[in-house]
Amino acid sequence: MGRSRRTLPEELLLLALDPTTGTTAQPQSLDLGLAGAQLVELALAGRIAPDGDRIAVVVPRPTGDPTLDCALELLRRRGAPVRAVHWIGGPRLGLRQVYLTHLERCGMVAAVAGQMCGVLPTTRYQATDTEISREIRSRLDSAIRTGVPPDPRTAALAALAHAVGLGKHLYPGNEGRSSRSRLRDLIRHDPMGGLVAHAVMDVQNGAAAAQPRRGPAPAGRQAPAGGRGAPEPARGVPAQPHHGSMARAAAH
């Protein structure tokens, strides 16, 4: 996988990065979204595929991206298909920081040291090429504005952005309500992205700790109640419970 194309985890993180404050929106759920984005990127690269309600490695060959290949190797070591909810909701070393460091090494963001209350050291991140962030945002805006079905990569990015709660960050206030609704509905245009996005929302709602479901979920299922601030699932999209253990995505 060449570096000429940004990966979905990179794009999701750049989308969440606030250009004014240098911080990321939805930091807690963003780790879950990045874990899900890795799964979608590996699927787009032909390395994994859905297997019923699980994720299976179909081609264990490395992609050339160290962070993705770490996740791929962990999936391969499982020896059997895994459930996305358990994978995404498992213990992790902080994918947000892993990818911020990665983007810094790639020259896409710059770390800016500072202090909180004049005492505590802090690090903020500024995009070094705002054109990249604008291009990512314009793809989402175009899909929302035109209603034309987006390509699988953009559809998956929209699904993940909705799942981690970036809608109010990207389209705030009452004037952004219709855009947030359309962002949510874009989830239906990529099956893998939708599957993973629902797994991210299930983890936030506590479904990762529940017993695995015996059968496929009915079409149009809403995300389980109980997660505060969890985004509303897309209408008319079957939620497919998936489990697995993403977490140990180590920094390269």
Side-chain angles (χ1 to χ4, degrees):
M1 180 178 294
R3 294 303 305 148
S4 60
R5 185 174 66 186
R6 295 177 301 277
T7 65
L8 273 174
E10 293 168 359
E11 291 195 328
L12 183 64
L13 184 53
L14 288 171
L15 199 62
L17 191 62
D18 190 308
T20 303
T21 65
T23 60
T24 53
Q26 304 297 113
Q28 293 182 332
S29 58
L30 190 56
D31 264 7
L32 303 176
L34 291 170
Q38 286 187 322
L39 292 180
V40 178
E41 188 65 50
L42 288 171
L44 289 171
R47 301 310 196 268
I48 65 174
D51 180 11
D53 66 345
R54 297 170 182 261
I55 299 294
V57 175
V58 293
V59 177
R61 185 178 70 253
T63 65
D65 180 295
T67 309
L68 288 175
D69 289 341
C70 177
L72 179 62
E73 176 61 14
L74 290 173
L75 284 165
R76 186 193 67 79
R77 289 179 184 175
R78 286 299 190 92
V82 297
R83 299 178 186 274
V85 168
H86 286 170
W87 179 260
I88 290 169
R92 56 178 43 77
L93 295 178
L95 282 180
R96 184 169 54 102
Q97 188 57 52
V98 167
Y99 272 101
L100 282 170
T101 302
H102 168 73
L103 290 179
E104 184 184 10
R105 290 174 179 169
C106 292
M108 284 194 266
V109 302
V112 180
Q115 289 184 328
M116 180 183 297
C117 301
V119 179
L120 299 176
T122 62
T123 303
R124 300 180 183 275
Y125 294 86
Q126 299 291 338
T128 56
D129 187 348
T130 55
E131 182 60 31
I132 293 176
S133 297
R134 283 196 295 268
E135 183 272 330
I136 296 170
R137 176 64 181 271
S138 70
R139 281 164 44 209
L140 284 188
D141 289 346
S142 177
I144 288 173
R145 183 178 62 254
T146 65
V148 176
D151 62 274
R153 182 173 293 274
T154 301
L157 180 62
L160 289 162
H162 165 69
V164 302
L166 288 183
K168 290 185 179 180
H169 167 70
L170 298 171
Y171 307 103
N174 287 333
E175 65 275 14
R177 184 177 299 173
S178 61
S179 292
R180 293 195 300 270
S181 177
R182 288 193 290 271
L183 176 70
R184 177 193 62 197
D185 289 343
L186 287 175
I187 201 171
R188 71 182 64 191
H189 291 294
D190 179 59
M192 183 66 181
L195 180 155
V196 171
H198 277 292
V200 169
M201 291 186 283
D202 279 349
V203 171
Q204 293 180 77
N205 286 326
Q211 291 296 321
R213 300 179 180 88
R214 293 180 177 272
R221 178 184 66 85
Q222 298 293 310
R228 291 188 179 180
E232 180 186 356
R235 292 189 293 265
V237 180
Q240 312 227 356
H242 278 61
H243 310 60
S245 143
M246 175 105 256
R248 299 189 203 91
H252 44 290

